[in-house]
Amino acid sequence: MKLVLFYHSLLSDWNHGNAHFLRGVVTELKSRGHVVQVYEPKSGWSLSNLIGQYGEQKLEELQQYYPGLETNFYELDSLNLDEVLAGADLVLMHEWNDHELVRRVGEHRTQNNYRLLFHDTHHRAVTERESMAAYDLTHYDGVLAFGQVIKELYLKEGWTQKAWTWHEAADTRVFYPHTKDSFDGDLVWIGNWGDEERTAELHEFLLNPVKELGLKAKVYGVRYPDHAIKSLAEAGIEYGEWLPNYKAPEVFARYKVTVHVPRRPYVEALPGIPTIRPFEAMACGIPLISAPWEDAENLFAPGKDFLVARNGEEMKQHLQTVLTDQRRAMDLMCNGLRVINRRHSCAHRVNELEAICAELGIAPSKISSTSNSPVAYAE
């Protein structure tokens, strides 16, 4: 197939967590012989911040982890859709795109024979409903939603007539266990502060347990306000600022445990959606302890693949267990890695996407291919 993908950014993951999954999908599609072209806005917000703070060399570094990964830049006013979409079989429009672009591509679809899907990987359908309702999906073939609750919302609101659940997953070409020669500390957490969507939760499930247990810990992320940086220091936690996502596996290998602290919208309104971080942590073979979230779609086996802490006190207990009981820690590592390799890699998601393409009527001869997906690590 020829696929054209419109993303906010493929090159930058600076405060752009969707880049993680999108890179893995592009890499997997290409490995199967599909032709993939990605378009992102020139001077996009995430990429501009990345280059402004860290320079062009980070784009060169990205190529070491994703050889041949490339994108095309466009300006909306001069974008020639006839040229860009010529010969396309499938077009994916990510939800972090301009409303006008979404509308224009939809209109273009009416005069052409490709299939067109809207891809939603955010909580805005719940938290910013008016903005999401403003997307004109009239001429789209359907929506790829990263959780059942989002899928049902699109259908209930009449924003689309057809939708599929398409969860994020780990890019196992990049996210896999690295050799642990020695440890730099006990706990590492990789994530942004969260626009005050999880401030209380971060104190309860991360900062306070680390401080009270006297753990050696480090946190990476961007957009930390002054009060957050001060709170980290008071808890004795080192702040590492932005970490390129492709570096996360190397960092996970230098710590004994990590935690997942979901943002409040996911806990309260979006059960079944864990976001990308737990997938990636388990793929790297590090024990994971999570603040509460409802695994409504049975993606994992809580208590087996990872531990769930219902409150701060339970988080302390779980941390002590993982850090002192080597057998328990190893069980979590193996179980988490096993479930990723069995069910939740980008190869699994591309299998699902190809099945959707068949459902949409794309010729089987274009969909079928010989996959060069990496062999899963031994269980």
Side-chain angles (χ1 to χ4, degrees):
M1 291 186 291
K2 178 180 177 180
L3 298 94
V4 180
L5 287 59
F6 290 96
Y7 292 155
H8 174 72
S9 184
L10 190 69
L11 300 183
S12 173
D13 57 57
W14 190 97
N15 201 56
H16 176 36
N18 300 129
H20 312 184
F21 178 53
L22 305 181
R23 288 168 179 166
V25 167
V26 168
T27 304
E28 179 64 28
L29 285 165
K30 285 186 172 183
S31 80
R32 301 185 183 202
H34 298 304
V35 178
V36 184
Q37 295 181 354
V38 179
Y39 286 83
E40 63 182 80
K42 186 177 181 181
S43 303
W45 177 76
S46 177
L47 184 59
S48 296
N49 274 282
L50 169 64
I51 294 175
Q53 296 188 36
Y54 298 96
E56 296 273 356
Q57 64 268 24
K58 284 298 177 184
L59 301 183
E60 298 171 8
E61 183 180 82
L62 174 69
Q63 292 296 319
Q64 298 173 25
Y65 295 81
Y66 290 92
L69 192 73
E70 58 185 7
T71 192
N72 300 282
F73 295 104
Y74 72 86
E75 293 180 329
L76 188 56
D77 291 344
S78 58
L79 181 63
N80 185 331
L81 292 179
D82 286 336
E83 182 179 304
V84 167
L85 300 177
D89 297 295
L90 177 66
V91 179
L92 295 184
M93 175 70 66
H94 191 256
E95 50 85 18
W96 200 0
N97 270 302
D98 189 278
H99 286 76
E100 176 63 14
L101 175 67
V102 173
R103 186 196 64 77
R104 282 178 53 188
V105 174
E107 289 289 341
H108 189 270
R109 164 73 174 81
T110 64
Q111 303 298 320
N112 294 273
N113 197 34
Y114 54 81
R115 299 296 179 262
L116 175 60
L117 295 173
F118 190 70
H119 183 199
D120 192 336
T121 59
H122 202 270
H123 60 64
R124 291 192 301 146
V126 170
T127 58
E128 298 178 29
R129 190 166 300 198
E130 185 176 337
S131 176
M132 296 306 293
Y135 281 117
D136 184 357
L137 305 182
T138 305
H139 305 297
Y140 282 64
D141 292 287
V143 170
L144 300 174
F146 78 141
Q148 185 75 16
V149 65
I150 296 291
K151 169 191 165 182
E152 296 299 334
L153 180 61
Y154 271 86
L155 295 171
K156 178 182 177 182
E157 295 290 335
W159 296 343
T160 185
Q161 297 301 307
K162 208 163 191 179
W164 297 265
T165 299
W166 199 45
H167 281 284
E168 294 180 302
D171 178 3
T172 52
R173 284 183 171 82
V174 174
F175 286 82
Y176 58 86
H178 285 51
T179 303
K180 297 178 173 68
D181 296 322
S182 61
F183 292 107
D184 292 347
D186 300 307
L187 180 151
V188 65
W189 187 69
I190 303 172
N192 303 330
W193 187 252
D195 300 319
E196 306 305 328
E197 290 178 343
R198 57 180 167 196
T199 301
E201 292 85 348
L202 286 170
H203 279 273
E204 180 178 4
F205 292 99
L206 177 61
L207 277 66
N208 293 344
V210 166
K211 182 178 181 179
E212 292 172 20
L213 292 174
L215 304 182
K216 185 176 182 182
K218 190 166 185 176
V219 162
Y220 293 91
V222 301
R223 300 181 72 194
Y224 277 63
D226 290 342
H227 72 82
I229 295 173
K230 181 181 177 182
S231 294
L232 290 177
E234 290 173 348
I237 299 174
E238 183 181 356
Y239 177 44
E241 298 187 357
W242 176 66
L243 180 75
N245 184 244
Y246 46 79
K247 291 275 192 183
E250 301 161 27
V251 171
F252 281 140
R254 299 200 298 270
Y255 290 83
K256 300 174 185 177
V257 66
T258 190
V259 299
H260 175 51
V261 185
R263 297 171 187 243
R264 203 168 302 120
Y266 290 103
V267 175
E268 295 178 350
L270 299 174
I273 301 177
T275 72
I276 192 91
R277 297 292 186 183
F279 292 107
E280 293 178 340
M282 283 184 271
C284 291
I286 185 172
L288 173 68
I289 306 172
S290 178
W293 66 276
E294 183 184 353
D295 187 8
E297 297 181 50
N298 300 310
L299 299 174
F300 307 108
K304 180 182 176 183
D305 300 332
F306 62 92
L307 298 179
V308 179
R310 292 169 294 183
N311 51 53
E313 191 60 34
E314 202 163 86
M315 175 62 79
K316 285 170 56 180
Q317 294 170 9
H318 285 331
L319 285 170
Q320 286 179 309
T321 297
V322 169
L323 293 172
T324 58
D325 187 338
Q326 190 171 0
R327 185 184 182 93
R328 185 72 173 113
M330 184 62 67
D331 284 344
L332 288 169
M333 291 165 55
C334 292
N335 292 337
L337 183 59
R338 184 181 294 115
V339 73
I340 296 299
N341 286 330
R342 283 181 173 175
R343 299 179 59 196
H344 301 306
S345 71
C346 286
H348 293 104
R349 298 301 180 259
V350 170
N351 289 344
E352 294 166 7
L353 181 62
E354 289 180 336
I356 292 169
C357 289
E359 188 177 337
L360 291 172
I362 296 176
S365 60
K366 292 189 173 185
I367 299 171
S368 61
S369 59
T370 301
S371 173
N372 295 318
S373 301
V375 177
Y377 276 75
E379 297 174 356

